[in-house]
Each structure stands twice: as structure tokens, then as C-alpha cells.
Amino acid sequence: MTLAVRVPEELSARVPVEQRGPGLERDAVRMLVSRGAEVAHHTFRELPLLLRAGDLLVVNTSATLAAAVDGWTGHARVVVHFSTRGDDGRWAVELREPDGRGTTRARAGGPAGREVCLPGGVGLVLEEPLSGRGERLWWARVSGAGVPGLLREYGRPIRYAYTERDQPLSVYQTVFALPSPDGTGSAEMPSAARPFTARLVVELVSRGVLFAPVTLHTGVASAEAHEPPYPERFAVPGASARLIEAARAGGGRVVAVGTTAVRAVESAVGAGGAVRARAGWTDLVVTPERGVRVVDGLLTGLHEPEASHLLMLEAVAGRPALERGYEAALQGRYLWHEFGDMHLLLP
């Protein structure tokens, strides 16, 4: 789907909200609320007033990795984006070219056998494209130190050209993020949860709003690509599955915090329509044709008009709601991307 809108460059959030003025915290971002084709303007701090006791927020606990590492292939400088660890120990990686301004631009990844020298004496060899859809992401074998240690020692968060400067990894962690025992995590921040603060979570809990944690480790998106999501690792614990089913039975709304939470929950729906504990890989792509089976609402950021995530938003809220919401977001000068404003889609 393509929305008939153009997002002006000045509507890209270039720094996190807490760096835009004194006294601002993460929850100071604005929030557009869509109920069908009706829209309303709020701040994120008003979220507790927009949910009801018994509603359930599904949150992604995946921690963000310092997934970008400088390297060399021959005499050429490259930046390696580590996306996803495979079951065979290889990593899906994306090779990008430094643009001289601290960010990167797209470059071809192959051919097979290309070697990349990384810091600490670590070597990387591209073996095969991740899929037949293109050669942007490749499976690569890494020699020397383990990748989690490499990222901790030499990595930095993936950064795109619309941002102003590098930020510390802590800026890219959400209040729900938990370290994984095997050192894996998300190549890019599950950004819909970024505006939550501990204080706001306490207020939501005190008002009877429930939380169900799930995990989905996001791969690299690359702003230029606009591709459907690749298979990703996910887990829906048994306790969260029971919470989701209890909320549905009690008339509460299941609101996913981010498209990653939608993908995880909808991947755990069994043949009978109930959510069950499940973990592994998911290649689910939620489209309007497929629809959603469990999720009633969605809290998300604002996406580029060509982004495949918009298909998921349309599946949750419908095309008219999406078109009216994005029209209002542009008129209201909302900010786009991971440090930007929020969009709450409610039934």
C-alpha cells in the first residue's frame, strides 16, 4: 500500500525528545489518537486516560544491540549492520558505505566469499544471500570473538541519515528491555515503547491496565529498502498468552505496543483462534487481506508512506482510519521516525 502523502524532511525527528529542551522526558512526545476516521490530539502522558481498566498492553522486551561495526573490505571502508543470528551460528548482515557525515548509504553486499576485516582481529565472510528477494542482507560466518562480545566492545547503534548525531546505546533502550542470556537482541529499537517511563507504567498499572511481555528480536530495516520484514525470532511466554486470553474474555482491549508486538502475538494464535505459548521463527506478514485475529489496537510511530508496516496498520485499523490519521499528522506537524511522535489506533 502507498499513502498519497509526502513527508517533508523537517518532520523527521532528528534527536530524542528529551534533548529538545530542558525538563523534557521521553513521555513528552505528542500522540495522535485514531478511532476509525475520527482523530484527536494528545500528549503521550495522557495515555492512562485513553485506556480502560482491563485493557492489556503487549510490550516487546527485546533489548537493542550496538549492531553497527566499522570494517574494511579490501581498501574500502564499510559499516556492517548485524541483523539476526541464525540457528547455525551464522549472522545475517548488511554491508553499508560510510557517507562521510557519520551515517551510511546502501551498497551491494556480495559476492559470496567477500571478506570483511573487523576490529579486534575478527573476520567476516559473506556466504549467501539471505533470500531470493535481493542481495542486501547476506548470511555471513564470523571468525574470532563471538558477535555479542564484538558488538559490546566495538559496536554502536544503527543510525540513519535523518538523525543529527550518534547517540549512546541507552537512548535506544526502552523501559521494558531485558538483556538476553545469549547476548542477542534487536538490530533496531522496538521504538513504539520508547516514550514509556517507569512513572507512566506505574500510573497505568494503578489504573488497572495490564501488561503482557513478549519478545521479538527485530532485524535491520534500512530506511531505503521498504521491504517486507524478514523472518525474526520471537517468543510469547505461557503467562502472557494466558493474560491475553483473560483480557479478551473479560472484554478488555488487546493493544500492541509496536508492530513487533503485533507480529509476535499474531504468530502465536492457534487454529482455534486462541493465543498459546510459542517461540521460534516467524515469517508472518500481517496484511489487510490476512487481517488480525487477536490485536484490537496498536500504539506505533509514524511510518514512511511506502513502508510495509503500513499494511499492518491498515489490517488493524482499516484504510480510511489510516488515511485520515496521516492527513491529520501532517497537518499537525507531527514528527516521524524512532524519536518522533506516536499514533494510537483504537477500535
Side-chain angles (χ1 to χ4, degrees):
M1 180 196 116
T2 299
L3 287 177
V5 298
R6 187 187 69 83
V7 182
E9 186 176 345
E10 65 268 22
L11 294 188
S12 292
R14 294 172 57 78
V15 296
V17 63
E18 61 270 24
Q19 297 177 17
R20 295 179 207 148
L24 295 176
E25 296 185 48
R26 291 184 174 205
D27 56 7
V29 295
R30 302 167 70 197
M31 183 167 65
L32 185 76
V33 179
S34 292
R35 291 185 177 88
E38 296 182 3
V39 296
H41 303 275
H42 294 268
T43 67
F44 192 76
R45 287 174 181 160
E46 295 174 291
L47 180 64
L49 305 177
L50 298 165
L51 299 177
R52 303 189 295 252
D55 285 347
L56 181 140
L57 292 170
V58 182
V59 297
N60 185 1
T61 62
S62 179
T64 309
L65 299 174
V69 180
D70 293 322
W72 292 85
T73 178
H75 296 291
R77 285 186 60 201
V78 295
V79 177
V80 180
H81 287 177
F82 285 85
S83 178
T84 308
R85 192 194 66 177
D87 292 333
D88 59 1
R90 296 186 300 175
W91 278 75
V93 302
E94 177 190 32
L95 267 56
R96 295 180 65 86
E97 182 178 319
D99 64 1
R101 300 190 299 273
T103 55
T104 61
R105 51 181 169 249
R107 75 184 300 281
R114 182 184 294 278
E115 298 181 2
V116 180
C117 296
L118 298 171
V122 176
L124 178 152
V125 179
L126 301 182
E127 294 194 338
E128 58 181 324
L130 183 66
S131 77
R133 291 184 294 182
E135 295 190 346
R136 185 173 66 88
L137 286 166
W138 282 69
W139 284 117
R141 196 164 296 281
V142 181
S143 63
V147 171
L150 174 75
L151 302 186
R152 284 195 299 273
E153 184 74 17
Y154 299 104
R156 61 183 180 278
I158 289 174
R159 177 190 156 204
Y160 291 112
Y162 50 77
T163 56
E164 184 175 296
R165 56 181 177 269
D166 283 345
Q167 300 283 349
L169 184 59
S170 59
V171 166
Y172 288 87
Q173 302 295 10
T174 75
V175 72
F176 304 110
L178 292 172
S180 174
D182 62 2
T184 56
S186 287
E188 297 192 359
M189 173 175 58
S191 56
R194 191 181 188 282
F196 283 88
T197 62
R199 181 184 57 195
L200 189 68
V201 171
V202 169
E203 183 177 353
L204 286 161
V205 170
S206 71
R207 289 176 178 268
V209 176
L210 306 170
F211 287 83
V214 299
T215 301
L216 185 140
H217 296 318
T218 69
V220 298
S222 292
E224 299 89 349
H226 303 313
E227 299 163 335
Y230 287 88
E232 295 169 312
R233 289 180 181 274
F234 82 104
V236 175
S240 292
R242 291 190 292 275
L243 276 169
I244 292 168
E245 288 305 308
R248 297 174 73 192
R253 296 171 295 186
V254 177
V255 179
V257 178
T259 57
T260 61
V262 176
R263 197 181 201 196
V265 169
E266 293 292 327
S267 298
V269 179
V275 177
R276 296 287 183 260
R278 195 173 171 196
W281 292 88
T282 177
D283 58 1
L284 176 66
V285 179
V286 177
T287 64
E289 292 73 27
R290 188 267 187 191
V292 287
R293 298 174 182 170
V294 171
V295 170
D296 300 304
L298 173 60
L299 178 65
T300 184
L302 291 160
H303 303 276
E304 291 284 356
E306 300 85 0
S308 60
H309 286 323
L310 290 177
L311 293 172
M312 181 185 289
L313 271 60
E314 185 177 346
V316 173
R319 177 82 181 218
L322 203 55
E323 289 180 335
R324 180 69 188 96
Y326 273 64
E327 178 186 347
L330 285 168
Q331 290 175 348
R333 308 290 289 173
Y334 279 69
L335 296 180
W336 258 249
H337 301 305
E338 68 266 34
F339 297 141
D341 295 314
M342 302 302 296
H343 190 190
L344 176 61
L345 300 154
L346 289 175

